[in-house]
Amino acid sequence: MSPDGAGRLDDPRADRPGTRDYGIPESLEGLLPWSWAVAQLERSLTYWISTVRPDGRPHAVPTWAVRLDGALWFEGGVGTRHARNLAGNPAAVASIHIDEDAALIVEGLVAAHPDPPPDQATRLVEAYAKYRLTRWAYEADPANWRRENGGGLWALRPVVALGWTHFPDDATRWRFEL
């Protein structure tokens, strides 16, 4: 972690994406705050998780997820293509579509958490409550996360994120310390 604390999971360093090919301003004026990205991650219902197959081909799957403790947590069976991909390569991308002008992309490293401690499991179930009010009326159950039950729970820790509400004017890159 940097000496000034910048780059932590809830306080990443903000700058502009590296390319200037799309008219992205050089000035740091107008950058989006990380709090904007956090709000998007917390309210979104569908997240696209992209992983890499063993042969190098990409794979993307929509999933439900929640943000907790600076990570993006998602569930799924351990036999799914994305779970098998993550077993061999923990690098992944999560993206959400906000509207026709806004987007958020989070690149990071994923770790399996099949048996979170009880207090964390309780907080994850509470975070998943946002799906109770959907047409699916989904209720998260920690028993489903246990490998012996065929399920899984993963946490994506961000390394870099990109977001904008009006591209290219407010295009922002956030960098995290590992």
Side-chain angles (χ1 to χ4, degrees):
M1 187 167 314
S2 61
D4 64 358
R8 293 180 303 223
L9 290 174
D10 284 316
D11 186 24
R13 292 176 311 211
D15 63 8
R16 294 288 185 182
T19 183
R20 300 292 177 248
D21 296 344
Y22 298 104
I24 295 172
E26 298 215 11
S27 166
L28 297 183
E29 189 174 326
L31 291 175
L32 294 170
W34 179 241
S35 60
W36 171 83
V38 167
Q40 306 313 309
L41 289 169
E42 289 177 350
R43 96 173 101 227
S44 185
L45 293 176
T46 303
Y47 304 76
W48 284 87
I49 304 294
S50 300
T51 59
V52 179
R53 298 170 193 259
D55 65 5
R57 292 182 299 136
H59 176 265
V61 63
T63 191
W64 294 341
V66 297
R67 184 179 179 280
L68 184 70
D69 299 334
L72 190 64
W73 296 79
F74 57 99
E75 307 170 304
V78 295
T80 61
R81 174 79 269 162
H82 68 278
R84 294 191 325 261
N85 292 347
L86 291 168
N89 180 348
V93 175
S95 57
I96 58 174
H97 172 80
I98 299 163
D99 63 32
E100 63 275 358
D101 294 319
L104 181 60
I105 303 146
V106 180
E107 300 175 11
L109 298 173
V110 177
H113 293 272
D115 240 340
D119 64 317
Q120 188 176 46
T122 297
R123 292 184 303 119
L124 283 162
V125 167
E126 289 169 2
Y128 268 101
K130 68 182 180 179
Y131 294 101
R132 285 185 202 142
L133 302 177
T134 67
R135 65 184 168 126
W136 304 283
Y138 177 71
E139 187 80 36
D141 181 352
N144 294 333
W145 303 334
R146 295 192 189 105
R147 288 187 192 273
E148 62 267 17
N149 294 339
L153 178 68
W154 291 269
L156 185 151
R157 296 275 176 200
V159 174
V160 66
L162 301 166
W164 55 84
T165 62
H166 184 71
F167 191 87
D169 301 334
D170 62 359
T172 304
R173 173 177 54 194
W174 297 275
R175 296 180 200 216
F176 301 81
E177 297 291 328
L178 294 179

